[in-house]
Amino acid sequence: MLPVVVLISGNGSNLQAIIEAIQNQALSIEIRAVISSNPLASGLQHAQKAGILTQVLDHKTFANRPAFDVTLQRVIDSFDPKLVVLAGFMRVLGTGFVSHYEGRTLNIHPSLLPAFTGLNTHQRALDARVTEHGASVHFVTSELDGGPVIIHGRVPTLSNDSAKTLAQRVLTVEHRIYPLAIHWFAEDRLQLTQGKVIFDGMPLTNPVNYKHEHHAQLYTPR
Ligand code: GRF
């Protein structure tokens, strides 16, 4: 089973979706640890309930970002993961850290990248009056929210949406695409090669668009 470390900072609903996929035997990975940059992250409880080891590395107790990154890397390496999953991890990671785990770090971002990198994506999507919004799972590279995208989960925007209602709709699709992308990685179907996503041995020219059949695939052992 693929050894994984998950990094969180907040609610951990994506972590919970990943844990449920494991419990439903849809995802064959071993989460060796959940590390939070925030001691108050409620997501820590999801891990504890599932019997997963947790560790807090409070970024506020570090003098600067490099000091935090070095310790984080040391702690992650002590679990010897083959994949690092950022699930609502709210710290920007330095280039040394990113290159150490390049090709084996995934992130989920709440927009259809390359649109709306950074924060407040839902409000910005509404302000831009886009008709479609969503989430992206991507490989992490040194460009913030700029790594190559594996899969897009799309949702419509509605005329009466607030940032909150839109965020909720996007989260629902996040909970589907993240376990799926991790499943593909665990099955050795995904690689990052020369800055490009290779999926089933072929360069991915456009991100996969999530469809319902993909979810069914998650529940069908290959
Ligand atoms: C999600 O919207 C994710 O896309 C972003 O941070 C949020 C985390 O939510 N990176 P949760 O902690 O998984 O509930």
Side-chain angles (χ1 to χ4, degrees), residues 14-138:
N14 278 288
L15 167 66
Q16 180 60 18
I18 295 163
I19 290 173
E20 283 171 18
I22 296 169
Q23 289 170 343
N24 296 333
Q25 295 176 348
L27 186 56
S28 190
I29 62 169
E30 179 200 355
I31 304 182
R32 292 206 172 150
V34 169
I35 301 172
S36 174
S37 61
N38 168 10
L40 302 176
S42 55
L44 286 167
Q45 290 161 23
H46 295 311
Q48 283 152 6
K49 270 199 199 117
I52 299 167
L53 194 144
T54 59
Q55 196 152 340
V56 173
L57 271 192
D58 186 352
H59 65 94
K60 293 202 190 96
T61 62
F62 290 83
N64 49 39
R65 196 170 80 184
F68 176 73
D69 281 5
V70 164
T71 307
L72 181 61
Q73 183 171 319
R74 187 168 44 72
V75 173
I76 295 173
D77 278 350
S78 73
F79 296 106
D80 201 18
K82 292 269 185 300
L83 177 68
V84 177
V85 169
L86 310 187
F89 185 67
M90 297 307 286
R91 308 305 307 163
V92 174
L93 296 162
T95 47
F97 181 98
V98 169
S99 64
H100 181 65
Y101 296 108
E102 195 158 75
R104 46 191 187 120
T105 313
L106 299 180
N107 183 42
I108 188 153
H109 180 79
S111 76
L112 297 172
L113 289 172
F116 309 119
T117 60
L119 298 173
N120 301 323
T121 55
H122 308 302
Q123 189 57 52
R124 286 161 59 212
L126 291 176
D127 292 347
R129 297 179 183 281
V130 292
T131 54
E132 206 178 30
H133 184 46
S136 311
V137 178
H138 65 95

